[in-house]
Amino acid sequence: MEILVVIPAYNEEANIERVVDQLIEKYPQYDYIIVNDGSTDNTRKICKNKQYHFLDLPVNVGLSGAIKSGMRYANFHGYDYVLQLDGDGQHEPGCIQDLMEEMQRSGADIVIGSRFKTKKKSKSMRMLGSRLISWAIYITTGGKRIQDVTSGMRLFNKKMIKKFGYNIHYSPEPDTLAYLLNCGIKIEEVQVEMYERTAGVSYLNFKGSIWYMLKMLFSILVFQWVRIREKEVH
């Protein structure tokens, strides 16, 4: 069982060295590839100087495009599983085995490293958005729950590697998860440890977070209900 850790990175010069060195030192059994998503800082220079394994995208294509590139790389090289691991240092690589065990136990196609599988969400505005998106998925998928809809730590099996790599409609976003659940794809969650970002700046500020939440809610509620109605008609 070959696992490839895909690390999308955009302007992560303050974090990428720590993230990759920890992965190499503590978990040498895992292959990895950094997808430098057209960074304008020193992310590429660090990857080159440290002789990391990395793909260098010439322009910023966003998280969806970076993940798609990593999936295609994994498929080309024959990997059985891909583990998405963000380049900001918030994820604990030691949890990879837990996700792998859950995938083998449950037969899931995707296993999400969840902050909220067994722990409650806080009452912050950001978590309110997460709750609303979880609720939207619940009511449009016949009662299927995903607690951590925005987690950037996910394990994909071979079938999902191909779908996310070559289907233009697949992106690592909550509305895609809702769509996949309605298509019969099995998604499970495992409680994992995640840390606060210690350096760099998230691409989602307050205004961006509000817009992201509204966009996801619209996509899930409108398009998933249209899909459900179409299934009922046919």
Side-chain angles (χ1 to χ4, degrees):
M1 295 182 299
E2 293 292 327
I3 303 175
L4 177 69
V5 179
V6 173
I7 307 172
Y10 175 65
N11 289 350
E12 293 291 357
E13 64 179 9
N15 295 302
I16 196 65
E17 191 170 351
R18 172 172 50 87
V19 170
V20 179
D21 284 351
Q22 180 189 39
L23 181 66
I24 293 171
E25 178 183 357
K26 293 186 177 180
Y27 310 100
Q29 69 271 34
Y30 299 125
D31 293 345
Y32 73 92
I33 189 76
I34 302 162
V35 183
N36 177 40
D37 185 20
S39 296
T40 57
D41 65 358
N42 289 318
T43 299
R44 181 190 184 281
K45 183 177 180 180
I46 292 170
C47 290
K48 183 178 180 180
N49 290 344
K50 295 282 291 187
Q51 298 185 331
Y52 293 149
H53 304 149
F54 73 102
L55 298 176
D56 191 32
L57 305 186
V59 295
N60 176 244
V61 296
L63 180 61
S64 180
I67 292 298
K68 193 176 297 293
S69 298
M71 292 293 190
R72 291 187 178 189
Y73 178 94
N75 184 64
F76 180 82
H77 289 279
Y79 286 94
D80 301 305
Y81 304 95
V82 160
L83 188 285
Q84 176 187 342
L85 188 76
D86 285 351
D88 56 14
Q90 292 184 289
H91 301 150
E92 171 50 60
C95 298
I96 295 175
Q97 187 59 37
D98 294 335
L99 273 69
M100 192 69 238
E101 290 176 358
E102 176 61 25
M103 180 167 281
Q104 293 176 332
R105 183 196 67 79
S106 65
D109 299 294
I110 300 173
V111 178
I112 298 172
S114 174
R115 293 163 289 181
F116 313 119
K117 176 67 175 177
T118 59
K119 297 181 181 180
K120 291 184 178 181
K121 298 178 182 180
S122 67
K123 295 183 179 180
S124 66
M125 285 298 295
R126 183 165 184 167
M127 288 303 102
L128 174 61
S130 177
R131 289 174 190 272
L132 288 172
I133 295 172
S134 293
W135 167 80
I137 292 175
Y138 177 81
I139 66 173
T140 58
T141 59
K144 297 174 183 176
R145 295 184 181 276
I146 297 180
Q147 300 292 352
D148 196 348
V149 292
T150 59
S151 171
M153 187 178 194
R154 300 175 183 175
L155 180 67
F156 303 86
N157 67 9
K158 188 79 169 181
K159 178 170 69 174
M160 291 295 103
I161 290 173
K162 292 183 177 180
K163 287 186 178 295
F164 275 84
Y166 299 95
N167 190 315
I168 63 172
H169 301 296
Y170 282 47
S171 65
E173 301 291 358
D175 54 349
T176 300
L177 297 179
Y179 170 78
L180 291 174
L181 286 169
N182 277 323
C183 290
I185 298 301
K186 189 170 185 179
I187 302 174
E188 299 291 345
E189 291 182 274
V190 171
Q191 182 67 44
V192 298
E193 187 70 31
M194 291 194 190
Y195 310 109
E196 294 296 325
R197 174 187 279 270
T198 58
V201 179
S202 173
Y203 74 97
L204 281 179
N205 53 26
F206 179 77
K207 183 179 179 180
S209 297
I210 297 296
W211 170 244
Y212 177 83
M213 179 191 71
L214 293 175
K215 182 173 66 173
M216 286 298 108
L217 286 173
F218 179 83
S219 178
I220 294 168
L221 292 173
V222 175
F223 291 108
Q224 293 305 316
W225 266 334
V226 169
R227 177 177 172 80
I228 291 169
R229 290 302 299 275
E230 288 178 345
K231 289 169 66 177
E232 291 174 350
V233 170
H234 294 91

